[in-house]
Amino acid sequence: MNGSRKYISISVPDAPDSMSPHIKSAEQLRVIGFNLGDCSRSMQFAICVTGVFVFYLVYGYLQELIFSLEGFKPFGWYLTLVQFAFYSTFGLVELQFTQDKRRRIPWKTYMMIAFLTVATMGLSNTSLGYLNYPTQVIFKCCKLIPVMIGGVFIQGKRYNFIDVSAALCMSFGLIWFTLADSKVAPNFNFAGIALISMALCADAAIGNVQEKAMKLHNGSNSEMVLYSYSIGFLYILMGLVCTHGLGPAFVFCSRHLLETYGYAFVFSLTGYFGISFVLALIKLFGALIAVTVTTGRKAMTIGLSFLFFSKPFTLHYIWSGLLVLIGIFLNIYSKNKDIIRLPSLTDIRNKIRKRQMRPTSERV
């Protein structure tokens, strides 16, 4: 989902006016046929935000709608196979409109990226057979946790107090949300928690691998999508054939063509378009703005899920969700202290004193 997700992790300056020279070309500012280079800054922002919200909200709605079809829940991996087939086709079509069609990134790297992509999206899709959609989205918001754990044990990193506080807020929010879900959801299963947790770990690793490959070999977005998803398609196909899961899924979907293949096409198309606008938002306005917009989109997705699909609700969902949002804010603040300057206690005290010293007429 999030399809977000997230195909390619790109490191760019956070300041809006400090774009790299290669980003300023009209060709690289083109998103699904629209040339954003000819628009004003405010119009660029409005178009990108609208694209992120519209396409990803439709993406999330269709993903939950597909799994609401009675009898479909065991076929999450087959949905991922179909999704990868569509993404590979979209990447091939997009590559035809680029001037340089050469493959720059080695096959060995693509095989690793494809494996991580399969794990991320396949496990995420399959987890919906066991979890409520809001619970899945909440878990996907907490990618920081496996990133920090991997950083400590693999790279020996040290994190400051704010980073640790962010991870703790997310952890307690996840625990609270999961406990609430287990009490009110009749079909709750801890297998879903295990699946989405493994998907998170793979998602935390894939961004670093993709970013390193893109920088080292100067590969294009369309090349990355085409080769990683086409190889991933072969991985899933072999897995389904070996586990004898291809036949039953194909028979079931052939009986519900519109509810499976039809919805899956729109589901894949909106996910593909959505990530294009996320990448454009990162390139034009920086990672801070992009994370803020995508976090708001995820919060709205959860609200719409409760609105459109009947499911039990408890106020514990709200408090645990807010705790996760606090953790996300702390993480954003930790990485952008030079941009986000929170008022200190001294600043607040000085403002109160100045206000008290002003005449009563001015204060009113």
Side-chain angles (χ1 to χ4, degrees):
M1 223 357 292
N2 230 321
S4 81
R5 268 327 196 163
K6 311 171 183 169
Y7 301 77
I8 301 168
S9 175
I10 296 181
S11 296
V12 295
D14 285 333
D17 296 326
S18 60
M19 293 186 298
S20 301
H22 67 277
I23 295 176
K24 294 182 179 180
S25 67
E27 179 66 25
Q28 296 215 10
L29 288 176
R30 189 175 295 276
V31 181
I32 63 170
F34 294 99
N35 187 4
L36 299 183
D38 297 333
C39 302
S40 63
R41 295 285 293 171
S42 58
M43 183 58 68
Q44 288 175 344
F45 181 75
I47 292 174
C48 289
V49 171
T50 302
V52 169
F53 271 79
V54 169
F55 288 116
Y56 270 123
L57 289 178
V58 175
Y59 176 92
Y61 173 81
L62 287 173
Q63 186 180 35
E64 188 167 8
L65 183 63
I66 293 172
F67 276 92
S68 66
L69 177 64
E70 186 176 356
F72 184 80
K73 288 185 176 180
F75 306 128
W77 279 106
Y78 186 75
L79 174 64
T80 310
L81 178 74
V82 175
Q83 188 178 4
F84 272 52
F86 282 131
Y87 280 165
S88 301
T89 305
F90 299 153
L92 179 62
V93 172
E94 185 179 0
L95 191 64
Q96 304 310 308
F97 292 95
T98 60
Q99 294 181 351
D100 189 358
K101 300 179 176 61
R102 292 177 299 168
R103 178 183 57 82
R104 296 178 177 272
I105 300 175
W107 286 112
K108 182 179 179 180
T109 304
Y110 272 129
M111 293 177 70
M112 171 63 71
I113 294 174
F115 175 80
L116 293 173
T117 307
V118 167
T120 299
M121 299 181 66
L123 293 171
S124 179
N125 284 338
T126 306
S127 69
L128 278 180
Y130 305 92
L131 296 176
N132 279 339
Y133 184 74
T135 305
Q136 187 216 47
V137 175
I138 284 290
F139 266 82
K140 290 173 112 178
C141 290
C142 299
K143 188 169 67 173
L144 171 68
I145 297 174
V147 170
M148 288 186 63
I149 294 175
V152 171
F153 288 101
I154 298 176
Q155 303 183 43
K157 285 187 176 181
R158 294 180 178 271
Y159 295 94
N160 58 38
F161 175 77
I162 299 177
D163 289 326
V164 175
S165 299
L168 289 176
C169 285
M170 291 181 183
S171 299
F172 285 121
L174 282 178
I175 294 171
W176 198 357
F177 205 98
T178 303
L179 290 175
D181 204 26
S182 64
K183 291 181 179 179
V184 301
N187 62 336
F188 179 83
N189 192 319
F190 276 103
I193 300 297
L195 289 170
I196 193 62
S197 298
M198 289 188 290
L200 267 187
C201 294
D203 192 23
I206 190 174
N208 294 324
V209 178
Q210 287 176 324
E211 182 177 2
K212 182 178 179 181
M214 292 286 289
K215 287 183 177 180
L216 184 62
H217 303 285
N218 195 26
S220 65
N221 293 356
S222 53
E223 177 197 334
M224 177 67 71
V225 171
L226 172 61
Y227 289 103
S228 59
Y229 283 96
S230 57
I231 296 174
F233 173 86
L234 296 177
Y235 284 165
I236 301 173
L237 182 62
M238 288 187 296
L240 288 175
V241 170
C242 293
T243 58
H244 305 287
L246 186 62
F250 180 80
V251 171
F252 178 87
C253 292
S254 64
R255 296 173 181 171
H256 306 84
L257 292 177
L258 177 61
E259 295 88 347
T260 54
Y261 295 114
Y263 290 167
F265 171 76
V266 183
F267 161 68
S268 303
L269 187 64
T270 52
Y272 191 84
F273 286 163
I275 193 59
S276 299
F277 281 103
V278 171
L279 292 174
L281 197 63
I282 294 174
K283 290 178 181 179
L284 291 168
F285 298 96
L288 172 61
I289 298 297
V291 170
T292 304
V293 171
T294 54
T295 301
R297 189 272 305 173
K298 289 176 181 176
M300 184 175 290
T301 299
I302 294 175
L304 292 178
S305 176
F306 281 107
L307 180 64
F308 288 116
F309 297 93
S310 60
K311 54 174 64 71
F313 178 79
T314 173
L315 287 176
H316 292 310
Y317 282 144
I318 296 179
W319 308 129
S320 54
L322 288 176
L323 202 56
V324 171
L325 287 177
I326 292 173
I328 293 173
F329 171 76
L330 290 174
N331 181 38
I332 295 173
Y333 173 68
S334 176
K335 294 180 179 178
N336 300 273
K337 291 180 183 179
D338 54 336
I339 300 176
I340 306 174
R341 184 180 179 275
L342 296 179
S344 63
L345 293 177
T346 304
D347 295 335
I348 297 175
R349 185 167 56 249
N350 292 336
K351 288 182 180 180
I352 294 175
R353 287 179 179 176
K354 289 180 180 179
R355 182 174 178 80
Q356 291 175 344
M357 294 175 61
R358 288 161 53 190
T360 306
S361 58
E362 292 185 13
R363 278 184 271 169
V364 175

